[in-house]
Amino acid sequence: MAHRIAFLGFVALAVCASLSLAADPANLQDFCVADASGNTRMNGMACKNPAMVQASDFAFSGLHIPGNTSNAVGSRVTPVAVTQIPGLNTLGISMVRIDYAPWGINSLHTHPRATEILTVIEGSLEVGFVTSNPENRHITKIIKKGDVFVFPVGLIHYQRNIGYGNAVAIAALSSQNPGVITIANTIFGSKPDINTDLLAKAFQVDKSVVWQLQTKF
């Protein structure tokens, strides 16, 4: 019986440990303002001396300014993460503003380290994500001003402005550094290129199609 209790205790400890490792590191002090000049390499960023911390380390200005959407996809993401606010270091949260031209898209992408919760400030968006193999379910919805939608961590997702005017959204992410992997850019714009034979077989297309796509990215 004692062995069984000890085993269950070990399992519970292992589960708790795995959950604690599944998110950004927790703070062991009030804050850990990122020290961009630090030479220490670690999972996250080194802490600035608390005596040197200023209010500006916790502030950002400019989220009211529309992003320039004059690009191929018709959208612009303005990030507010640890790079913009050093005080976010170890706090496990960040945000973005997304501007969309008429019919602009925030192309298929994933955030490897964060769940995203998005709300529409202006306009209407088609949003969606695709579940993992083998189902690959496409879960999609039209959302309007004031609506909220969640994109689970790691899943491929997108937004598309379905109106004739500009659209704006604000999103929060559950990491100080959520990361972004844009699917088309990653596959067809890698440096060096992924082998064209491999991509042709993966997408079941002729190699000439792969070459054409690679020239675009």
Side-chain angles (χ1 to χ4, degrees), residues 12 18 22 24 31 53 77 82 98 118 127-128 161 165 172 185 189-190 206 208:
S18 65
D24 286 356
F31 49 74
V53 168
V77 177
V82 69
I98 314 170
L118 177 146
V127 299
N161 182 2
N185 300 60
S190 65
D206 189 81
S208 62

Side-chain angles (χ1 to χ4, degrees), residues 31-105:
F31 49 74
C32 172
V33 172
D35 182 3
S37 64
N39 295 321
T40 305
R41 297 181 65 85
M42 57 190 298
N43 186 24
M45 300 182 75
C47 301
K48 180 187 288 190
N49 184 337
M52 305 298 292
V53 168
Q54 305 291 327
S56 58
D57 291 318
F58 299 92
F60 173 85
S61 296
L63 211 59
H64 63 293
I65 301 172
N68 183 358
T69 59
S70 299
N71 53 59
V73 295
S75 71
R76 177 70 63 185
V77 177
T78 303
V80 186
V82 69
T83 303
Q84 289 75 34
I85 302 182
L88 285 175
N89 192 35
T90 76
L91 296 185
I93 192 169
S94 59
M95 66 186 300
V96 297
R97 170 183 171 137
I98 314 170
D99 290 274
Y100 312 83
W103 304 102
I105 65 170

